[in-house]
Amino acid sequence: MELTRHEPPVQKVFREVARHRDATVPALLACLTDSRARQLAAAHPALPPSVLTGLLADDDHRVAEAAAANPSLPAGVMADLLRDLHVPRLAPMEATPTRH
């Protein structure tokens, strides 16, 4: 998206681009440079997993939370996050007899 390369940057454009479902990776990376669009961009499923992983350590907890909730975050990284939080694994449901 050409608007993300405008000089000087138009801040509102970053937020609108980050919300757009068809935003491209280069446009989303540009959105990460804006403090108000950063959280929105971190939540976008088109953001590459390597970028998402880096955002987990972001100084802004809202950005880190958005990256952690992103469906494109690799399952292994998500499992590590849960392990770090000491979230117990759910045991598989056992078949219980049904009373009639």
Side-chain angles (χ1 to χ4, degrees):
M1 296 194 164
E2 296 296 319
L3 291 174
T4 60
R5 288 184 265 182
H6 188 273
E7 288 296 329
V10 180
Q11 304 315 107
K12 185 176 180 179
V13 168
F14 289 124
R15 292 188 301 277
E16 294 305 317
V17 168
R19 284 185 184 103
H20 197 282
R21 67 181 175 92
D22 293 328
T24 64
V25 171
L28 290 168
L29 294 175
C31 293
L32 289 173
T33 65
D34 179 69
S35 62
R36 293 179 68 191
R38 196 168 173 80
Q39 178 183 358
L40 296 168
H44 200 288
L47 212 54
S50 61
V51 175
L52 289 171
T53 303
L55 291 173
L56 294 174
D58 199 89
D59 291 335
D60 183 340
H61 71 91
R62 295 169 300 177
V63 172
E65 287 173 3
N70 190 312
S72 295
L73 188 68
V77 175
M78 197 172 294
D80 290 344
L81 286 175
L82 293 173
R83 191 173 25 262
D84 291 346
L85 293 172
H86 305 291
V87 175
R89 277 194 179 186
L90 297 176
M93 299 277 298
E94 292 182 22
T96 54
T98 314
R99 291 190 168 163
H100 293 280

